Amino acid sequence: MDISSILQGGYQHPLSRSWQAKRQLTKSMLMYPIFITDDADAEVEIPSLPGQKRWGVNKLEGFIAPLVKKGLKSVILFGVPLKCEKDMAGTPADDPDGPVVQGIKLLRARFPSLYIATDVCLCEYTAHGHCGVLHADGTIDTEPSVARIAQVAASYARAGAHCVAPSDMMDGRIKAIKRALIDAGFGNKCTLMSYSAKFASALYGPFRDAAGSAPSFGDRKCYQLPPAAKGLARRAILRDTSEGADIIMVKPALPYLDIIQDAAELAPDHPLACYQVSGEYAMIYAGARAGVYDLRTMAFETCESMLRAGCTLILTYFTPQFLDWLDE
Ligand code: PB1
């Protein structure tokens, strides 16, 4: 047997197998998406997202405390307003008494070590359910959309968010948010994580159920990227790094590992996030329930593929389980 043919000597032991990974999954790489609703005492299961709930601010401490004890390092908040007056500009998005602003303040006060990111979008707060302000004909009106998104982001920074993450996909919102953070005195205090390459994926259904954020008409194909759009994704990543993004994100993750790899190549000096979205999480659960594979094994296999593609941060609903699995 030729010497160069032998590879198996390098990975015959569990430890030497672990050395083959360029990057190991750690608790600090995991950012946990959580849903905060405007019923302060709510704790409501989300059927399409196994193990996930909508939480009221009064239940938040009891929910998060055990996870912080297990090593939770960061969360990203999604407001799920069920009682507010939604309008054309998404006015409730930065309501000082709203679930997100209240949630930021409570988590900052109770968990000083916890890194708090907030999603920034209008879709949960607009009457039409789109992520921006619309022209009369139902198309995106970019300028007012960008101005409103920047205003909401600055409000969350003022409330104490360590990071704002605009998932709206409006053109030019990164530059506008960065300018708004600087003008509000938060340019050096609040991280700007851009959902740079976010695709018009079929995998957002469970989230939209949870957040009640499906568009009331049409779809998001004119502002989320076409799934086949590799070139557009590369251009969006370059655009957002030049507009001041501190972290680049690709979303969804598993069907877009090639885009993650592109992002690692195009923005090698930025932290790179990916979002294992609700439909990916639900799909992995469904396969495990169908007996196709072991849940934990597949959770690791999918997230390790994102690390292999170049990610340094993973937004995943598996975070609570990983906090246990990574200790075993
Ligand atoms: O887990 C998920 O599916 C995330 C969905 C995501 C939240 N950032 C968006 C997808 C969508 O509904 O289009 C919400 C858009 N602001």
Side-chain angles (χ1 to χ4, degrees):
M1 175 71 71
D2 188 282
I3 291 173
S4 64
S5 303
I6 302 299
L7 294 179
Q8 291 173 4
Y11 59 95
Q12 95 289 12
H13 187 284
L15 186 59
S16 60
R17 281 196 283 274
S18 76
W19 294 336
Q20 305 299 333
K22 281 280 173 287
R23 204 176 289 120
Q24 304 278 354
L25 190 65
T26 62
K27 293 180 182 180
S28 60
M29 289 174 161
L30 299 168
M31 180 178 275
Y32 184 28
I34 58 177
F35 299 97
I36 307 185
T37 187
D38 47 7
D39 167 359
D41 296 315
E43 182 179 349
V44 181
E45 297 277 348
I46 303 170
S48 54
L49 272 177
Q52 307 302 319
K53 296 182 180 178
R54 282 200 291 261
W55 297 89
V57 281
N58 294 347
K59 293 284 180 71
L60 214 39
E61 183 171 359
F63 166 47
I64 293 293
L67 297 178
V68 169
K69 225 178 244 115
K70 287 183 183 177
L72 178 69
K73 296 287 184 259
S74 71
V75 293
I76 180 165
L77 309 187
F78 289 93
V80 184
L82 300 176
K83 296 186 290 190
C84 69
E85 276 295 303
K86 300 188 179 186
D87 62 17
M88 302 309 276
T91 304
D94 51 354
D95 173 359
D97 299 320
V100 175
V101 172
Q102 290 303 311
I104 295 167
K105 289 179 174 173
L106 182 138
L107 290 171
R108 281 300 305 265
R110 297 283 193 290
F111 305 104
S113 69
L114 186 65
Y115 185 87
I116 296 155
T118 54
D119 181 76
V120 182
C121 195
L122 301 183
C123 59
E124 296 105 325
Y125 307 97
T126 49
H128 44 65
H130 280 281
C131 302
V133 175
L134 304 182
H135 285 294
D137 65 358
T139 56
I140 288 287
D141 190 349
T142 302
E143 292 305 318
S145 296
V146 166
R148 179 68 186 127
I149 289 279
Q151 196 179 35
V152 174
S155 301
Y156 292 165
R158 282 192 202 93
H162 294 106
C163 172
V164 289
S167 63
D168 58 298
M169 289 303 283
M170 298 299 128
D171 282 335
R173 91 273 203 210
I174 298 302
K175 184 165 40 180
I177 292 172
K178 198 68 166 186
R179 173 47 53 203
L181 290 175
I182 293 165
D183 293 350
F186 289 88
N188 62 336
K189 297 192 183 104
C190 186
T191 303
L192 177 46
M193 173 161 71
S194 171
Y195 290 70
S196 300
K198 171 177 179 176
F199 293 86
S201 170
L203 289 165
Y204 301 138
F207 175 94
R208 293 179 182 176
D209 293 346
S213 59
S216 60
F217 68 89
D219 53 42
R220 297 187 173 143
K221 292 180 180 175
C222 289
Y223 48 93
Q224 294 174 352
L225 301 181
K230 193 176 181 73
L232 259 181
R234 291 172 66 90
R235 291 164 63 193
I237 289 160
L238 288 171
R239 173 194 61 185
D240 289 4
T241 46
S242 71
E243 287 191 6
D246 299 305
I247 301 174
I248 297 296
M249 191 204 301
V250 175
K251 172 189 176 184
L254 197 63
Y256 299 91
L257 295 180
D258 59 320
I259 308 296
I260 292 172
Q261 201 153 18
D262 283 354
E265 171 219 322
L266 293 168
D269 303 322
H270 279 70
L272 177 53
C274 69
Y275 195 147
Q276 184 176 49
V277 298
S278 58
E280 293 180 75
Y281 173 81
M283 205 161 61
I284 293 169
Y285 252 97
R289 284 180 173 157
V292 176
Y293 42 68
D294 167 68
L295 180 74
R296 168 185 167 154
T297 304
M298 191 46 73
F300 270 98
E301 189 171 337
T302 51
C303 288
E304 284 168 347
S305 76
M306 298 159 202
L307 298 187
R308 191 183 64 242
C311 273
T312 51
L313 172 60
I314 302 178
L315 284 68
T316 176
Y317 301 98
F318 281 113
T319 297
Q321 286 118 306
F322 274 125
L323 297 177
D324 290 328
W325 291 335
L326 287 169
D327 277 346
E328 288 167 5

